[in-house]
Structure formats: structure tokens, C-alpha cells
Amino acid sequence: MTDSSFSFFSEFGLLLCLEELNKEELHKFKFHLKNEIMGPGYCRIPWAEVKKAKREDLANMMNKHYPGEQALDVALKIFDKMNLKDLYERVKPEINRAAQTMGPEDTQAGETQGDQDQGGDGTEYRIQIQKQFCLTRVSKCLLGEPKDFCHEIAAEGRELLEHLFDVDINTGEQPQTVVVQGAAGVGKTTLVKKAMLDWSQGDLYQQKFTYIFYLNAREINQWRERSFIQMISKDWPSTEGPIERIMSQPNSLLFIIDSFDELNFAFEEPEFMLCEDWTQVHPVSFLMSSLLRKVMLPESFLLVTTRLTACKKLKPLLKSQRSVELLGMTEDAREEYIYQFFEDKRWALQVLRSLRNNEMLFSMCKIPLLCWVICTCLEQQMENGGDVTLTCKTTTALFTCCVSGLFTLADGSCSSRPNQTQLRSLCHLAAKGVCTMTHVFYRENLRKHGLTKSDVSVFLAMNILQKDPDYENCYEFAHLHIQEFFAAMFYILEDSWGPMDHPSQSFADLKLLLESTSYKDPHLTQMKYFLFGLLNEDRVKQLEETFNCKMSLEIKEKILQGMEKLGNNDCFPSELECLELFHCLYETQDEAFTGQAMRYFQKVVINICEKIHLLVSAFCFKHCQCLQTIKLCVTEVFEKKMLKSSHPAEFWQRDAYSCWRDLCSVLHTNEHLRELDLSHSNLDGLAMKIFYQELRHPCCKLQKLLLRFFPFPDDYWNIASTLTHNQNLQHLDLKGSDIGDSGVKLLCEALRHPDCKLQNLSLESCNLTTLCCLNITKALIRSQSLIFLNLSTNNLLDDGVELLCEALRHPKCPLERLSLESCGLTVTGCKDLSLALISNKRLTHLCLADNILGDGGVKLMSDVLKHPQCTLQSLVLRCCHFTSVSSEHLSASLLSNKSLTHLDLGSNWLQDDGVKLLCDVFRHPGCNLQDLELMGCVLTSACCLDLASAIVNNPSLQSLDLGNNDLQDDGVKILCEALRHPNCNIQKLGLEYCGLTSVCCQDLSSTLSSNQRLTEMNLIQNTLGCEGIRKLCEVLRSTECKLQVLGLCKEAFDEEAQKLLEAVGVSNPHLVIKDDFNDHNEEDGSWWQCS
């Protein structure tokens, strides 16, 4: 290229390049340009100018801010980031030729001007970083040095680094803080050290950051007081000049804080105490807190690595952040590594199958080092003729073999083994470390636990402990799981070696460990699994032979005591707690102990969505004899996408069905089991076949089966047939299962069979129409047992109800309870119902909620209530679109009716006038009504005097729900006067969302202290405030208060109020405070919503 042509290219080439970008590409180009940094002496182009600039204006701006060839150089880097390869490949050669035409004077001019009187240009610092991070070595591994194993960052890791600080296309903002989180050993430190090395070599972040500084938690922990400038200058070469000069441009600096989880700081300093000045000397904890909270150097960028268990501690410190999780090796990568590890491919397939059958172990293999350790351990097992299938059954079995293998690699002499005191001290160190999330130990930690230098050398020689080569007096276990294993051993060793220094503290730690949950205490989960696994006598024997010591299983009794306490806890079980319990018991592989532990539980709730969940559940169900209720949700397990490549899917599927058969066997092995809930599960044909076989087993005593929202893979013949085979089955709930009219036909055939003993059938939301009603009618006439039928939320319409009424009029119809909520009924359907109800002698409960009956329909139902032969005890007319006009009809009928005890008129436009009319009846001594629901009836305080009169004068009235009405404090004050009256028999009061404030709480408190009958009260969604809660808590703590259930959402109040409510829960154990007051049981009248 000639000089003249170069001049033309340098002047107009950038504009020509920009002209080639479409509108969207230009927009992205501007976003990238916004954050480009060329180094000292240059500054960003103001975003406001970049955003509105046209192509020609943008080219001029760039040429002005980045003189010479630098503007094109910036553009080239952005084209590369945008993956515009064609444009990049055309421009790059032109820039290279242009650079060759410039003389040395030209190339040095800009540098001299920019760096004049500024010291070095950063080259020496980069060289220093290269020396430091090129020398970083992989620590010596468990079981010797890895063969064919590499800790290099994979291609995806490099790609991740490049885009960590990319601008968010949606917001246009560049993250200033990025958090890289992941499990122990997944490669977080390796990633950021690679970032340091690549930056120093000019391969990463060249246009983003002028300088990058690396701060490691292990080094920081050994500092006490210093300035921040002293902290980062440890690697700063003196030839670079004063480091202070670069701090004037903090927006071009990146600080890497590696292993935040290892920092020994509480980070509890209030923000006003933090420091902005990076030259002042402060405690290092203050400096780190100031940096993280963006009080110091707020324009700088941060890259923080942490383990997942410390995220809860880190998050409150950061103003905002982008979080990225390192997941380790993919499933395909794990399979490939395992397959390539073994020369004998038969061994590879056997190991692969064994690991895939235990998802916990296979998941551990995503950590590269652990994958190698596990493969090496299993290889040793196979070489010695061991059974890897048994070894891979539990994590404890495998790690027991792994730890035992450490001694086979030693010289074999007795001196290489730790004595009992040394082992006990190491286990104590490990246990305390896991409990406090401490995984890096310094010399003072070791001394505190009685470990001398010679003691430590024993464990260093076996690679159980490792010394950090970069930081003095710094030790850690070879991997977190090794620390967790020795931590669990501490509880097995404890009793057999005499009294501990602080035995009560040890027992307290054990109690906390047993009560821990993965969502509250994730750092304790694996240690707890190991502890249960070490209750296995074979494991204990193996460890006793390995360490030449005697271990104790006396802890089993303490754990069983903990299980008993857990079983008696009213809050247990939740899905996660049950699943964790099953994981623990599976680790024991002790059938007798599992049976002993499970005898304390009458109900379990399990969500099975992974293979390991099915495995552990099958083991526990197979060995439990006392369960009465099981709630399972099984999803994804039987999908046909389990395994690929060298490991055929049939292996797992065969094992899955075997586990499922073991699980289902509980239906005939447990004679106490009465209820099974499989709602929302997704089973394939073979799994259903196994289930039906167990359901029809002669020893199956199941009475209640819930299959809500259950997609039947075959037709409904099998479930219908089961009704005639299992004569113990009394309750079947198919809500939302979309069985349709054809499925109902099969069910009705079974209902007509004399061997069918079903009493309760729910077909709510099953996509039924008028067509099915004829079959239902025939079944109702022929059935000898069916007393409850729920047909809610189906499009039956008036014609369908007309057919059902034929059955209701038949003298042999056994039905006692019928729900037709939201079935499309009108006043026409009410005519047929009213005639049927007059002749029906058995129906006691009828729900017509959410149908457009209107005042006309209510009049017809009122006429039924007047009839002397009416047997209705409960009538639900919620949301039936009637007004206060209907109050007159109901009032007249209630005076003469002697059977009705429950009436629900909620969500209708009754208003104060309508309720006043009804109260005239409620006050009458002949009114037998016990439960009255008036939720959402557009009531105000104006009706409260009449309600109060009814409360005092009606001795039968026990439950009154006035929720979702604008009663306000004045109305509740009137009601409280009635509630304090000695004639009041109200036991349950609903005041949800009634516009109440703290003003009414004194009246409520006074009522609670004097009323000895009131046991349940709902105050949810009222603005009671902290002051109101304080007044209520004074009486709730009193022995005079007999309240058992209080509806309040604790989270709706401030911290002080929440603490007051928590304290009440401790001082008054008989009181339950819950945010879901409507528990839908028969006692509260919501019988048609029962499951």
C-alpha cells in the first residue's frame, strides 16, 4: 500500500467500516465502545454523545479520542467481540500494513506523551504477574499424582472469562461486580489465576482494564492492619514508580478477590464506619468490607470467587452483581473421561453404570479432581477383586474405600498410621471446621486442637492434609468431602476414647447436625450423610482395621432419640426434610436401623424428580412398617432420555423399575398404610402396571387414593378394575385428571359392581359434560356404598343436573354429600334440585357455589329448607349472584328448619340490610345454625350491632366468618363486647382483610383474656402494626388465653413484631400461628374441598 493510500485508509477507513454495519449491529457497536478503555492518558467517549451519534459523527469522535491508528484498533477489537469475522479479516491486514509504514518516532510519540512523568508503563508489573502465576502448581492429590489429568481451563472457561464484564444488551449497563460461585474444587481459583496470566500476556481484558490485582483470602487472613495501597502493592515492581499514580483512574482497575468463603471476617461493620481513603491504615476486615460495599473506589471493578455455601454471607455486602456459577464437567464430559480412564472398556462400562445408578456420586464427578480420585479408587477396588457395585451404593462406602486406600499407598509400616489421639484431634478439627464453614487452617488452629508439627506431618504424608505452597503455615484437607468424612468420624470415635473436654458441646453440635436441613444449613448436609453412613457395621469394621482402633456405635441410640423427636414435630414433614431423612437412612444400608427410625413417622411427603430420589425412597419404604400416609410426586424419572453413548439407557430403566417395585411394595407390606397421594405424578405404562399389581394385592389395606392431575398413560380400565379388586379402597380423588365422559363410563361400571366398596369419589375438573350424567345416575342407583360425590367445575349444565336428580329421587340412592360447584347451573336446575331434595331422605350436604342461581334460585332452595322432610345439614351458596332480596326468603325458611347447621352465603351482595334481616332469625332461640360464613358480603360496621346481638342470643352459633368485609376498628369493637358476654359460644372467628389497625388490638386482647371458648381467630391481611402485635402478644403469652390457632402472616410485619410473635410461639406451645388459615377440613364447613 502506498503512503497516499494509507493516508486515505486511516482517515476514511473507520467510516467505511461503520457504513457496513446494519442498524442493530451499530447499536451493539456503541454499547461495546461505551466501555472501551485504552489505558492511562485516554478516557471514554461520553455515552450521551455515543448514543445519539450517526456513523460519520461516531467516526469523527473515535478519531479524536483515539488518535492515529488506535481508533481502527479499537473498532477491530469490537468487531472481534461482535463475531463480525468477515469485516475483521478485511480490516486487520490493512491495519498491520499501516503500522509497518509508520516510523519508530511515530509509534513512540503517543506513549511518551501519555507516560511522561508517570513512571513505568506497566510492563514490569505484567512480567511479575507472569512469573508468579506461571509457577502456580497443582497440589499433590489423594492417592498419588493424577495420571493423564489436567487442571487447565477448558475452552468454555476461557469464553466465560472473556464475557464476564460484557455490557448487558437489555440495560446498556456494564456490571461492576461479578461473582463466580461454585462447589469446592470446581475450578474457581484456577479460572481467575488464568485470567491474571492471560491479562499479563496481553490476551484478555486489554481494552477493559489497565491493571488487575489479585487478592487471596489466605494471605488476607494473615494480615492485621495496613492500608489498601499496601495490600495491592505486594507484587508491584519498584521500577514501575509509585503505585499511587494508577489509583486516579479507578474505572480502569479490576480487583480479584479469590475465595471469599475463606475470609475470617464477620463483615458486620456499619457502613458509616467504613473507609473511603485507600491510603489510610485500618484493620484489613474494614478495608475488605469497604471495597466490597463500594465505599472505597466505587468506580473500580470487582471479580469475587466463592463457594455456594458462602453466597448468603456475600450477597448483603454487594450493591448489585452479576452471578455466574461454575458447574464443572458436563455429563457427557464425565462419561467420556471415565470411559477413557480405564484401559479395559468392560471395567469402564461397569464403573459408569455403578456411578450412574448413584446420582450423588456421579454428580461429584463434575469436579475434575474428584472424578479422578473416584476412578482411581474404583480401579484399585477392581484390581483387588472388589465389587464396585457395592462400593458405589453410597458415598460413605466409596469414601471409606478411598481413605483406606491412602494407607495401602503408604510404606506399610505402623509408624505411617496415626495413633488414636492424633486421629481424634484431626476429626475434631474437621468437625469444628465443617460446622463453622472453616476449610483453611493455620498453625494456631492446629495447636488449639492438639495437633503438633509431628502430628501434622503424619497426615501430610498420607495426603489427607495439604500445605499451601504459596502461603506459610496454611493447611487444608485434600478436598472438602475428605474433611466432611473425618468430621463425621469424630462422632463415631468420641465415646470409645473417654470423655471429651466439652462433651455437652459435642452433644449440642450433634443435635444441631441432626436438625439441620439442606436449605438452611447446606454446609452440613454431606457431613450428615457420612455420619449416617458410618453407622453401618461393615464400614466401621473397615475403618477399625484401617486405623487399628476401636470405634463406637453407641451414637445410634442418640440418633434414634433425635428421630423420635423429629417424628413428634407438628411441622414435620416437608418434602425436603423427608427426602434428606431418606438420603441419611439410605447411607446406612442398615435395614434394621432404618425400620427402627421410620417407626416414629406416620406421614411422609416426597418429591421424586431424580433417580437418586427414587433409589433412597425405595430403600426406606421397603423397610418401614408404621406409615399411615404417603404423599409422592414422581416426575421425570421414567422418561426415556437417561443415558447416552457407551452406557445403554436400558441399564438404568431396568434398575428404575426395580426400585419402583420396591417402593410400591409398601402397599402390601405395611398393614398400617391407609392413604397414598400420587397427585401431579407422571408414570409410564410399565410403572403403572407395577403400581396396579401392588394396589390389587390381597394384603393391600389402602383406603384413600389421590390421583389429582394425574395423566393416565393407558385408558381408565385399570383404575376402574382396581375398585372391584381392592375392597378396602373407600376414597378416590381424580381431580384434574381429564378422564372425560368415556373414563367416567368405565368408573360407573365399577361403581355398579357389588364388590366395589368406594364411599368417596371426586371427579372435580375432569372435563365432564352432560353426557356422563346418565352413567352417573345409573351408578348412584346401583351403588351400595357411595355417599360423597364431587362433580365440581365440570360443564354439566341444567340438563345434566336434571339427570342426576333422577338418582336423588330414587329411594336406593345412598348419596349423602353432593358438590356441584361451578357446573353451569341456573334457576332452571334449582327447580329439579328442589323437587329431588324434598323426596330425598339421605342427602345432608349440598354445595352449589359459583353458579348463577340469582335470587330466584335461592328462593327455590329456601322453599326446600321450609319443608318438614328436608334433611340438609350444610348448604353452600357462596358466589351464587344473589342480593339482599334473598335474605327475606332465607329468613323465613331458617325459622322453620331444624336440620341446617352450616350455611355459607359468602361473596354475595347481601350488604348490611340483608344481614340485619338474617340476624332477626339468628337471634331466635329456635335457630339451630352453628356455622355461618359471610365472607365478602359487602358489610360495614353498621351491621355489627345486629351480629353482636345474634352472637349473644344464639347459643348454637360456634363459627362466624366475616372476612373481606369493611368492618374496621369500630365494628370489631362492637363484636368484641358481644364476644366477652358470658352467653357467647363462638369458638372460631374470621376477620381476615376487614380494614383493622392497631386501634382494635386492645379490644381483641381483652376478648381473648376473658373468652374461654374462642380457640381460632383469623386476622390475616390487616394493618395491625408493631404496636398492635405487642398488645396481642401480651395476652397470647397469658395462661388465661385459650386461643389455639391464630391466622397471621409473620412476614407482613417488621422485624420487631416478628420477634414478638416468635417469642409467643416459645412461651405458648399450644398456640399455632399460621399464614394459611383455611385448612379445608370438615370442621370448618369446607367439606366439599376436602382431599
Side-chain angles (χ1 to χ4, degrees):
M1 178 183 285
T2 64
D3 290 341
S4 61
S5 64
F6 166 70
S7 176
F8 172 85
F9 184 83
S10 62
E11 188 171 354
F12 298 103
L14 179 58
L15 178 58
L16 293 173
C17 292
L18 295 179
E19 292 287 356
E20 296 218 13
L21 302 179
N22 60 35
K23 187 176 180 180
E24 183 180 351
E25 289 170 342
L26 181 64
H27 187 59
K28 290 182 179 179
F29 181 93
K30 289 179 178 180
F31 273 130
H32 285 289
L33 179 62
K34 172 188 173 186
N35 295 283
E36 282 299 323
I37 303 171
M38 287 298 292
Y42 297 94
C43 59
R44 294 190 183 98
I45 308 174
W47 171 241
E49 296 179 23
V50 172
K51 189 175 180 180
K52 64 183 180 181
K54 296 181 180 178
R55 287 174 172 81
E56 185 175 351
D57 297 331
L58 187 62
N60 291 334
M61 288 180 197
M62 291 179 66
N63 284 322
K64 179 181 176 182
H65 278 75
Y66 306 116
E69 83 284 6
Q70 305 225 24
L72 273 169
D73 191 49
V74 170
L76 190 68
K77 285 183 170 60
I78 295 176
F79 294 155
D80 187 31
K81 290 178 182 178
M82 292 173 62
N83 206 24
L84 298 174
K85 295 181 179 178
D86 182 63
L87 190 57
Y88 178 93
E89 289 170 0
R90 282 190 284 127
V91 176
K92 179 72 173 175
E94 298 293 345
I95 292 180
N96 290 340
R97 289 194 207 100
Q100 292 172 7
T101 63
M102 297 177 65
E105 298 82 9
D106 298 320
T107 57
Q108 295 172 8
E111 295 175 9
T112 304
Q113 185 178 359
D115 291 331
Q116 192 173 10
D117 300 325
Q118 296 292 316
D121 61 358
T123 302
E124 290 298 321
Y125 177 66
R126 289 174 183 261
I127 293 172
Q128 176 70 18
I129 292 299
Q130 289 174 39
K131 288 179 181 177
Q132 178 183 347
F133 288 94
C134 277
L135 290 174
T136 300
R137 300 186 303 274
V138 176
S139 301
K140 193 177 182 183
C141 298
L142 281 164
L143 305 176
E145 297 292 344
K147 63 178 181 181
D148 303 324
F149 186 74
C150 181
H151 256 292
E152 289 295 320
I153 291 297
E156 56 265 27
R158 173 57 193 270
E159 185 178 352
L160 175 66
L161 279 174
E162 290 176 346
H163 298 290
L164 283 179
F165 290 94
D166 280 0
V167 173
D168 189 315
I169 299 298
N170 296 320
T171 64
E173 298 294 328
Q174 182 179 15
Q176 280 197 297
T177 301
V178 174
V179 177
V180 176
Q181 56 197 33
V186 78
K188 303 179 295 295
T189 294
T190 310
L191 185 76
V192 293
K193 285 185 174 182
K194 182 68 173 174
M196 288 295 296
L197 189 60
D198 286 355
W199 171 81
S200 68
Q201 294 172 342
D203 297 328
L204 185 68
Y205 299 150
Q206 297 309 292
Q207 304 304 314
K208 278 188 173 70
F209 307 119
T210 312
Y211 290 95
I212 302 182
F213 295 94
Y214 177 82
L215 297 165
N216 185 282
R218 300 183 183 186
E219 187 170 26
I220 295 170
N221 283 334
Q222 300 185 56
W223 296 335
R224 293 293 175 260
E225 290 190 351
R226 56 184 60 198
S227 68
F228 186 70
I229 203 73
Q230 289 173 329
M231 289 176 64
I232 64 172
S233 60
K234 56 187 175 62
D235 298 316
W236 189 257
S238 57
T239 53
E240 292 285 2
I243 193 172
E244 288 81 0
R245 69 181 177 82
I246 68 168
M247 304 298 280
S248 60
Q249 288 186 314
N251 60 355
S252 66
L253 302 179
L254 170 64
F255 298 101
I256 296 177
I257 302 172
D258 189 19
S259 303
F260 168 85
D261 50 283
E262 295 179 5
L263 289 173
N264 295 331
F265 306 142
F267 293 106
E268 294 174 348
E269 305 87 356
E271 193 157 318
F272 71 85
M273 291 182 63
L274 301 179
C275 51
E276 300 179 11
D277 191 343
W278 35 267
T279 64
Q280 289 184 357
V281 174
H282 286 281
V284 174
S285 60
F286 273 51
L287 297 178
M288 293 307 299
S289 191
S290 303
L291 184 66
L292 287 164
R293 297 187 193 187
K294 290 292 181 182
V295 173
M296 180 191 294
L297 300 169
E299 300 90 355
S300 66
F301 291 81
L302 299 178
L303 176 55
V304 185
T305 71
T306 183
R307 289 181 182 176
L308 295 169
T309 49
C311 290
K312 188 176 179 181
K313 180 180 178 181
L314 174 62
K315 190 175 180 180
L317 302 177
L318 307 178
K319 302 294 183 185
S320 62
Q321 80 277 351
R322 172 183 289 172
S323 294
V324 177
E325 183 177 352
L326 288 188
L327 300 174
M329 292 196 293
T330 64
E331 287 195 18
D332 288 343
R334 279 175 262 168
E335 283 194 11
E336 180 63 23
Y337 180 83
I338 294 166
Y339 192 72
Q340 295 300 328
F341 181 92
F342 294 92
E343 294 181 8
D344 188 329
K345 299 310 175 189
R346 291 174 300 174
W347 283 16
L349 285 174
Q350 189 177 350
V351 167
L352 199 49
R353 181 188 176 187
S354 299
L355 290 175
R356 296 260 11 186
N357 280 342
N358 186 335
E359 278 185 316
M360 289 181 68
L361 281 177
F362 190 64
S363 179
M364 286 180 179
C365 289
K366 67 185 177 184
I367 309 299
L369 178 59
L370 273 183
C371 189
W372 178 84
V373 168
I374 288 171
C375 286
T376 303
C377 178
L378 295 177
E379 185 180 44
Q380 291 176 358
Q381 282 276 295
M382 298 177 91
E383 287 172 349
N384 295 328
D387 187 345
V388 296
T389 304
L390 291 177
T391 305
C392 291
K393 262 199 167 185
T394 66
T395 56
T396 312
L398 188 137
F399 275 83
T400 302
C401 289
C402 179
V403 169
S404 299
L406 296 174
F407 295 88
T408 62
L409 291 176
D411 60 9
S413 63
C414 295
S415 60
S416 66
R417 299 186 182 189
N419 60 41
Q420 293 181 348
T421 304
Q422 291 171 330
L423 186 59
R424 182 181 181 214
S425 297
L426 181 78
C427 291
H428 196 197
L429 174 76
K432 284 295 180 185
V434 172
C435 291
T436 59
M437 288 189 281
T438 303
H439 308 298
V440 178
F441 304 98
Y442 302 91
R443 185 161 290 172
E444 57 269 26
N445 301 123
L446 303 177
R447 280 199 299 264
K448 183 179 178 181
H449 287 83
L451 288 167
T452 65
K453 188 174 181 180
S454 60
D455 296 333
V456 172
S457 64
V458 173
F459 298 112
L460 287 173
M462 292 184 296
N463 300 327
I464 291 173
L465 285 180
Q466 293 181 346
K467 186 174 182 180
D468 194 311
D470 298 321
Y471 304 104
E472 190 177 358
N473 300 325
C474 184
Y475 302 86
E476 63 181 332
F477 284 83
H479 188 270
L480 173 61
H481 290 332
I482 296 297
Q483 181 181 349
E484 291 164 335
F485 185 86
F486 280 95
M489 278 181 59
F490 168 69
Y491 295 99
I492 308 299
L493 294 166
E494 187 175 50
D495 289 346
S496 60
W497 289 348
M500 293 291 299
D501 296 333
H502 303 287
S504 60
Q505 182 60 46
S506 301
F507 294 145
D509 290 344
L510 175 61
K511 180 175 178 290
L512 289 174
L513 180 63
L514 294 177
E515 294 176 355
S516 66
T517 57
S518 61
Y519 58 92
K520 286 184 180 178
D521 314 289
H523 60 290
L524 299 177
T525 302
Q526 187 58 54
M527 173 180 162
K528 183 161 71 168
Y529 291 165
F530 282 144
L531 173 59
F532 275 80
L534 291 176
L535 301 180
N536 181 285
E537 293 183 5
D538 291 337
R539 301 287 85 75
V540 168
K541 185 177 180 182
Q542 189 175 358
L543 289 173
E544 284 178 337
E545 291 175 356
T546 298
F547 292 108
N548 193 26
C549 65
K550 183 68 178 173
M551 298 188 179
S552 169
L553 286 177
E554 293 177 10
I555 196 173
K556 273 189 174 184
E557 193 58 40
K558 295 184 178 66
I559 290 177
L560 285 174
Q561 291 171 8
M563 294 293 102
E564 184 176 11
K565 183 178 179 182
L566 193 62
N568 293 330
N569 188 341
D570 292 335
C571 297
F572 189 89
S574 71
E575 293 178 12
L576 283 174
E577 287 172 323
C578 281
L579 196 55
E580 281 186 40
L581 172 64
F582 281 15
H583 271 290
C584 291
L585 294 176
Y586 176 79
E587 282 288 325
T588 68
Q589 289 295 297
D590 186 332
E591 298 178 5
F593 178 80
T594 299
Q596 285 181 291
M598 289 300 297
R599 70 185 176 187
Y600 301 116
F601 302 95
Q602 296 184 350
K603 178 181 179 179
V604 294
V605 182
I606 296 285
N607 188 6
I608 298 177
C609 55
E610 296 179 15
K611 293 174 284 187
I612 188 66
H613 300 162
L614 180 59
L615 188 68
V616 301
S617 299
F619 176 81
C620 292
F621 280 134
K622 193 175 179 181
H623 302 111
C624 67
Q625 301 297 324
C626 299
L627 279 177
Q628 296 180 16
T629 302
I630 297 175
K631 184 175 181 180
L632 292 178
C633 181
V634 185
T635 57
E636 301 180 27
V637 175
F638 295 104
E639 293 183 7
K640 308 292 185 182
K641 58 177 185 180
M642 290 301 172
L643 301 175
K644 307 171 186 175
S645 66
S646 58
H647 187 45
E650 292 78 26
F651 282 150
W652 160 247
Q653 288 164 6
R654 187 163 57 245
D655 291 333
Y657 294 124
S658 176
C659 288
W660 178 243
R661 183 173 282 104
D662 286 343
L663 190 154
C664 290
S665 69
V666 73
L667 290 173
H668 79 265
T669 58
N670 182 354
E671 61 180 15
H672 300 288
L673 187 64
R674 295 295 179 266
E675 180 177 343
L676 174 64
D677 187 347
L678 280 172
S679 299
H680 300 277
S681 293
N682 190 2
L683 306 179
D684 65 6
L686 182 53
M688 284 301 299
K689 182 179 180 182
I690 295 170
F691 172 63
Y692 287 133
Q693 287 172 350
E694 294 295 334
L695 199 58
R696 296 170 185 169
H697 195 285
C699 294
C700 177
K701 306 296 183 183
L702 197 71
Q703 295 178 0
K704 189 174 182 179
L705 177 62
L706 285 79
L707 298 174
R708 291 182 169 190
F709 302 97
F710 191 91
F712 290 86
D714 47 14
D715 59 25
Y716 299 91
W717 181 88
N718 278 305
I719 188 64
S721 174
T722 301
L723 296 179
T724 60
H725 282 81
N726 187 333
Q727 297 187 19
N728 293 307
L729 197 62
Q730 299 174 6
H731 183 130
L732 177 63
D733 189 342
L734 300 176
K735 177 181 177 179
S737 294
D738 197 26
I739 65 175
D741 296 330
S742 59
V744 167
K745 183 178 180 181
L746 292 169
L747 286 174
C748 288
E749 290 176 3
L751 289 171
R752 293 199 296 268
H753 197 284
D755 289 338
C756 176
K757 304 302 180 184
L758 199 69
Q759 297 179 13
N760 189 319
L761 176 62
S762 177
L763 298 173
E764 182 180 353
S765 303
C766 283
N767 196 26
L768 309 185
T769 70
T770 305
L771 296 175
C772 74
C773 291
L774 183 58
N775 288 309
I776 294 175
T777 297
K778 293 177 181 177
L780 287 174
I781 294 172
R782 294 283 300 277
S783 172
Q784 299 174 11
S785 59
L786 194 66
I787 59 175
F788 173 35
L789 178 63
N790 186 349
L791 297 173
S792 299
T793 322
N794 289 293
N795 198 30
L796 305 184
L797 305 178
D798 292 327
D799 291 341
V801 171
E802 182 182 3
L803 291 169
L804 292 175
C805 286
E806 291 182 17
L808 293 176
R809 287 193 295 267
H810 197 282
K812 290 188 176 180
C813 177
L815 207 61
E816 296 176 5
R817 301 186 179 206
L818 175 64
S819 177
L820 297 172
E821 179 181 0
S822 189
C823 285
L825 271 70
T826 69
V827 65
T828 303
C830 285
K831 291 178 182 177
D832 295 300
L833 271 173
S834 62
L835 293 172
L837 290 172
I838 291 172
S839 59
N840 185 291
K841 307 300 181 187
R842 290 190 177 91
L843 198 70
T844 57
H845 293 62
L846 177 63
C847 175
L848 300 176
D850 201 18
N851 288 292
I852 305 176
L853 306 184
D855 292 317
V858 174
K859 183 180 185 305
L860 288 167
M861 297 310 300
S862 299
D863 291 340
V864 173
L865 293 174
K866 288 180 186 176
H867 201 281
Q869 292 185 335
C870 176
T871 56
L872 276 184
Q873 298 174 16
S874 178
L875 178 61
V876 180
L877 298 174
R878 184 189 297 266
C879 195
C880 284
H881 301 266
F882 58 85
T883 68
S884 58
V885 173
S886 293
S887 297
E888 297 182 25
H889 307 310
L890 288 167
S891 298
S893 61
L894 289 173
L895 272 175
S896 57
N897 183 283
K898 302 302 179 185
S899 62
L900 196 70
T901 58
H902 171 248
L903 180 62
D904 185 348
L905 304 176
S907 301
N908 288 292
W909 201 265
L910 290 182
Q911 300 182 287
D912 295 329
D913 292 339
V915 169
K916 287 179 180 180
L917 285 170
L918 290 169
C919 284
D920 290 338
V921 180
F922 300 153
R923 282 193 294 266
H924 196 280
C927 178
N928 294 320
L929 209 62
Q930 297 177 12
D931 306 306
L932 177 62
E933 300 192 41
L934 296 171
M935 277 193 71
C937 287
V938 201
L939 309 182
T940 70
S941 58
C943 72
C944 288
L945 276 173
D946 295 279
L947 286 167
S949 177
I951 289 171
V952 171
N953 291 290
N954 187 340
S956 300
L957 196 60
Q958 299 175 6
S959 175
L960 179 61
D961 194 345
L962 300 171
N964 202 19
N965 288 295
D966 192 24
L967 304 184
Q968 300 190 356
D969 298 325
D970 292 339
V972 169
K973 183 179 181 67
I974 296 169
L975 292 174
C976 284
E977 291 178 9
L979 291 167
R980 291 193 293 269
H981 195 281
N983 290 345
C984 171
N985 288 318
I986 294 291
Q987 298 175 15
K988 182 174 180 180
L989 179 64
L991 295 172
E992 177 179 352
Y993 198 39
C994 285
L996 309 184
T997 70
S998 60
V999 174
C1000 75
C1001 289
Q1002 188 60 52
D1003 294 300
L1004 289 170
S1005 298
S1006 176
T1007 299
L1008 290 172
S1009 62
S1010 61
N1011 188 319
Q1012 301 296 296
R1013 294 186 178 92
L1014 191 63
T1015 57
E1016 298 183 43
M1017 184 165 65
N1018 187 3
L1019 295 175
I1020 291 172
Q1021 291 191 348
N1022 288 292
T1023 315
L1024 303 181
C1026 185
E1027 186 59 35
I1029 294 298
R1030 184 178 288 106
K1031 293 176 183 176
L1032 286 175
C1033 287
E1034 288 176 7
V1035 70
L1036 292 174
R1037 288 193 294 266
S1038 170
T1039 55
E1040 295 176 352
C1041 176
K1042 302 303 180 184
L1043 203 68
Q1044 297 175 11
V1045 181
L1046 175 62
L1048 271 181
C1049 183
K1050 296 178 185 177
E1051 289 73 19
F1053 298 97
D1054 61 22
E1055 187 176 350
E1056 182 182 354
Q1058 289 186 40
K1059 287 181 179 178
L1060 289 169
L1061 291 169
E1062 292 290 344
V1064 165
V1066 174
S1067 61
N1068 186 354
H1070 302 293
L1071 178 67
V1072 176
I1073 301 175
K1074 57 182 183 178
D1075 55 12
D1076 183 15
F1077 194 77
N1078 298 315
D1079 51 5
H1080 295 159
N1081 55 38
E1082 294 189 24
E1083 285 69 28
D1084 75 357
S1086 303
W1087 54 269
W1088 73 98
Q1089 297 179 13
C1090 275
S1091 58

